[in-house]
Amino acid sequence: MDGLITESCIPELSVGQDKMSAKLRLHLDESGQKFTVTDLKEWLRQFNVKAGVMDSAIQDMIEHNIYDVYTEVAVGKPPEKGKDGYFIYHVSNPENASGPTILEDGSVEYVHTTQYTIVEQGDLLAEYVPATFGNYGFTIENEMRTPTKGKEQPPLRGRGFRLEDNKYYSVLHGKVELTEKGIYVVNTLEIKGDVDMNSGHINFDGDVNIRGDVHSGMLIKASGNIEIKGHVGNCFINAGKDITIQQGMQGKFSGKLKAGGNIYCKFFENTSAEAKGDIMVRSVLHSKLEAEGKVIVEGKDSVVLGGSVHAIQGIQVMDAGNEMEVPTVLSAGVLRKTLDRSRELDDLIKEVEGQLELLTKTVKSLEHIQPGTLSKEGEDKRMKIIQAKVIKSMEHKQLRDEKAMSDALIRSGRNAQIVVQKAIQPGCRVEIAGMAIQLKEPLKHVKFVLRDGNVEASLLY
């Protein structure tokens, strides 16, 4: 009787509406008929149950005489939805501290320095992993079920990057910022308000644009330009290029500007300023200005009063000093220390060239010695001589570079003059290339030049 299914013990089959499962119920036959797994699988195929059949479940029903109970014997595989597309970010926004910070030595830093994520041109910022299609499924009747593809994400918005093969690369050197909408790489840092203890100090590799004021005690450093639309207090501001202050600076005798380019400011009061280029300002009160280019003080009611102004290429002012004879120094041309250093450099270069010539001859003589013929001490000595030549060559280059810069400054200040458009008062001291005169009476519409080693004044018109 084994392997036969009689009418008295025909199993019952229950198929789910979605055709994803099938259940089987066996009936006990009085004749004692036994089924095999093969019998029941063949019987299931007659009812189109072709896939997902679980032999172990059928075997279990037979071995344990499970009758009159529906048991799941076939299960389809639902389709697997594809994974949504997603981004992998290779940069992140820094976590900027706020409020006082306790340092390792136990001291307290009350003002933090704002941090920025800086990237170089060509750096990988992010990459997009596309959505996948997913995996097919099947019913117990072996019908394929098509999966749903994952959701694609829209491209990142922003600027300062290029997209190539689903990868986002920076196209410039600058600050990167991640937002909900995208990636922004800029070489300009925008500060919409004031720079104060809440915003923290600024140290940025690029340009800085500040729309508000800069409060006393703050430090600002940038490799590019710094532009400040408001007022500046007792601060230290250092720019690799130009500094522009639209409303002026009150340095309280310790505030300082340092620019690798030009400085533009409405006024200086109790402030120090150094520029590799020019300094242009409307008025200067009790301040110290130094420029490798020119200093120009022009504008309505402009004046230089108190302190000192030095410019290698020359000075142009409207008024200098006042009737109270406040000490004021106007100085142009190269300073004596620059000329002294230039002569010192000549001597140093000559000395180093002699040392370098001797080392070069020694190295050439050692080149004829075959490798391995020297003792360890001899080889060590040979390496030290070669190293000494390399170091001395670097020293020679540094001295020559400094000499070239010094000579350029001397040439630029050779024809320096100081021009006073309106009046210069007693109490003012005028210096050109280290030679000076002290004014004893007011002069109007004059220019000062160096002639035959003396400072002379002549009328402009």
Side-chain angles (χ1 to χ4, degrees):
M1 296 292 293
D2 289 352
L4 298 178
I5 297 179
T6 63
E7 293 184 2
S8 61
C9 62
I10 295 176
E12 293 183 46
L13 181 65
S14 175
V15 178
Q17 290 184 350
D18 58 0
K19 298 182 181 180
M20 296 302 291
S21 67
K23 296 180 180 180
L24 187 65
R25 184 167 69 175
L26 301 179
H27 297 289
L28 181 64
D29 184 65
E30 294 179 356
S31 64
Q33 175 178 337
K34 296 290 186 180
F35 301 108
T36 65
V37 173
T38 302
D39 293 335
L40 292 176
K41 288 179 68 174
E42 180 62 31
W43 183 81
L44 288 171
R45 274 193 292 271
Q46 294 177 14
F47 289 92
N48 211 26
V49 179
K50 303 175 182 178
V53 177
M54 298 181 291
D55 291 4
S56 59
I58 297 174
Q59 183 68 40
D60 194 54
M61 292 178 70
I62 295 171
E63 290 182 357
H64 295 86
N65 298 319
I66 300 175
Y67 297 105
D68 300 319
V69 176
Y70 277 107
T71 302
E72 192 169 60
V73 293
V75 178
K77 179 184 177 183
E80 295 180 7
K81 180 180 179 297
K83 293 182 179 180
D84 293 342
Y86 61 95
F87 291 96
I88 299 175
Y89 292 95
H90 296 274
V91 293
S92 61
N93 292 329
E95 296 182 3
N96 286 309
S98 62
T101 301
I102 299 177
L103 304 179
E104 293 182 358
D105 60 3
S107 62
V108 179
E109 183 180 14
Y110 289 94
V111 184
H112 66 280
T113 299
T114 305
Q115 302 296 322
Y116 306 96
T117 299
I118 303 298
V119 294
E120 301 295 335
Q121 181 178 351
D123 281 358
L124 179 61
L125 307 175
E127 55 184 307
Y128 179 65
V129 180
T132 60
F133 188 75
N135 297 318
Y136 283 91
F138 56 83
T139 68
I140 59 173
E141 296 181 356
N142 207 25
E143 295 175 345
M144 299 299 294
R145 287 286 188 264
T146 303
T148 301
K149 185 179 179 180
K151 181 181 178 181
E152 297 285 9
Q153 301 295 326
L156 293 175
R157 296 181 181 180
R159 63 179 182 272
F161 59 78
R162 62 180 173 87
L163 179 59
E164 181 180 332
D165 297 331
N166 288 326
K167 294 183 178 181
Y168 294 78
Y169 296 94
S170 174
V171 297
L172 50 84
H173 165 87
K175 174 180 76 80
V176 62
E177 181 179 359
L178 304 182
T179 69
E180 294 181 355
K181 295 182 179 180
I183 297 179
Y184 296 84
V185 182
V186 295
N187 53 13
T188 299
L189 173 63
E190 295 281 347
I191 305 295
K192 296 181 180 180
D194 296 346
V195 175
D196 53 21
M197 293 184 65
N198 292 322
S199 65
H201 302 307
I202 294 175
N203 187 350
F204 183 66
D205 193 0
D207 296 340
V208 174
N209 190 341
I210 300 168
R211 298 185 185 180
D213 300 331
V214 180
H215 294 204
S216 292
M218 304 310 299
L219 306 176
I220 300 177
K221 184 177 181 181
S223 63
N225 301 307
I226 297 176
E227 182 176 358
I228 302 167
K229 297 189 181 300
H231 291 85
V232 177
N234 175 15
C235 306
F236 177 63
I237 299 176
N238 188 345
K241 297 180 180 179
D242 296 347
I243 297 176
T244 301
I245 303 174
Q246 294 190 6
Q247 298 301 323
M249 179 171 180
Q250 295 172 303
K252 300 179 181 178
F253 296 104
S254 59
K256 185 175 182 179
L257 303 180
K258 189 173 183 179
N262 303 319
I263 295 177
Y264 308 89
C265 191
K266 187 173 183 179
F267 68 85
F268 288 123
E269 183 177 336
N270 304 323
T271 298
S272 295
E274 297 178 13
K276 290 288 186 180
D278 300 335
I279 297 178
M280 282 160 276
V281 60
R282 292 186 185 179
S283 64
V284 182
L285 301 177
H286 304 288
S287 296
K288 180 181 179 181
L289 309 187
E290 296 182 13
E292 292 186 6
K294 296 180 179 180
V295 171
I296 300 175
V297 185
E298 290 184 336
K300 184 180 179 181
D301 300 325
S302 71
V303 66
V304 176
L305 180 62
S308 64
V309 174
H310 173 69
I312 290 178
Q313 295 182 15
I315 298 173
Q316 182 174 322
V317 302
M318 298 300 287
D319 287 291
N322 64 3
E323 295 178 354
M324 301 299 294
E325 301 187 11
V326 174
T328 304
V329 178
L330 302 181
S331 171
V334 293
L335 298 175
R336 178 59 56 186
K337 64 179 181 181
T338 304
L339 297 172
D340 292 342
R341 178 58 178 170
S342 179
R343 286 190 287 268
E344 182 184 5
L345 286 169
D346 287 333
D347 295 337
L348 288 173
I349 290 172
K350 186 176 181 180
E351 179 183 348
V352 170
E353 285 177 345
Q355 296 170 348
L356 191 57
E357 182 180 0
L358 180 61
L359 287 169
T360 301
K361 290 180 180 179
T362 305
V363 170
K364 284 185 178 180
S365 66
L366 293 173
E367 289 176 352
H368 301 292
I369 301 177
Q370 294 295 325
T373 59
L374 290 175
S375 64
K376 184 177 183 305
E377 291 182 356
E379 184 64 27
D380 290 343
K381 184 178 179 180
R382 185 179 74 88
M383 289 304 300
K384 288 181 180 179
I385 293 173
I386 294 174
Q387 292 173 356
K389 179 178 179 293
V390 172
I391 294 172
K392 193 59 66 174
S393 296
M394 293 175 60
E395 182 183 352
H396 182 248
K397 183 180 183 305
Q398 291 173 350
L399 290 172
R400 288 183 62 86
D401 289 346
E402 185 182 350
K403 172 64 176 174
M405 293 176 62
S406 177
D407 289 347
L409 282 177
I410 293 171
R411 287 193 301 271
S412 69
R414 186 166 293 162
N415 299 315
Q417 59 184 18
I418 298 172
V419 176
V420 180
Q421 297 286 353
K422 290 185 179 180
I424 182 168
Q425 303 294 334
C428 291
R429 178 182 174 88
V430 176
E431 299 179 0
I432 300 179
M435 306 305 294
I437 60 172
Q438 186 75 36
L439 266 71
K440 302 298 183 181
E441 59 183 22
L443 297 176
K444 294 183 178 181
H445 317 303
V446 294
K447 69 176 178 181
F448 298 89
V449 298
L450 187 66
R451 185 175 290 112
D452 298 328
N454 297 310
V455 178
E456 296 183 359
S458 61
L459 292 175
L460 292 176
Y461 42 83

